[in-house]
């Protein structure tokens, strides 16, 4: 297991969602979820679907009420967040 964290990047739609988050509690909850994903990109569950592209994954933290849809690049160095729900 690597001690290096993956870099987090946001799709355009996720970046727009991020702009609309104004509550400090929501920002803190999302930050915690992103740290988990950056440390362990496979922390989320695979979402069944098309196998043509990267595997879409879903990370849910029910305690913090956060859901993040993302995929990991081929070298596992970048996590691209596609959707945020806080």
């Amino acid at each position: 297991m690597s001690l290096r964290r993956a870099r987090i990047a946001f799709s355009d739609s996720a970046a727009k969602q991020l702009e609309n988050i104004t509550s400090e509690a929501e920002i803190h909850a999302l930050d915690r979820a992103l740290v988990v994903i950056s440390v362990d990109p496979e922390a989320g569950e695979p979402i069944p679907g098309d196998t043509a592209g990267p595997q879409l994954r879903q990370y849910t933290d029910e305690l913090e009420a956060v859901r993040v849809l993302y995929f990991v690049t081929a070298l596992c160095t970048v996590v691209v967040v596609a959707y945020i729900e806080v």
Side-chain angles (χ1 to χ4, degrees):
M1 183 174 177
S2 173
L3 296 177
R4 186 172 172 218
R5 288 185 180 189
R7 188 172 61 88
I8 301 288
F10 296 94
S11 68
D12 289 343
S13 60
K16 287 179 185 173
Q17 289 175 306
L18 191 59
E19 290 174 6
N20 293 327
I21 298 173
T22 57
S23 160
E24 227 176 279
E26 290 177 340
I27 291 169
H28 177 72
L30 177 61
D31 187 48
R32 287 175 48 102
L34 294 175
V35 167
V36 169
I37 295 168
S38 72
V39 171
D40 181 7
E42 294 187 14
E45 298 292 322
I47 296 176
D50 188 5
T51 58
Q55 174 70 55
L56 192 59
R57 302 182 73 81
Q58 170 180 267
Y59 175 79
T60 304
D61 182 334
E62 293 179 13
L63 183 64
E64 295 282 356
V66 174
R67 179 173 168 236
V68 178
L69 300 183
Y70 66 98
F71 65 89
V72 182
T73 60
L75 298 176
C76 296
T77 57
V78 178
V79 173
V80 179
V81 175
Y83 175 80
I84 301 166
E85 188 175 285
V86 181

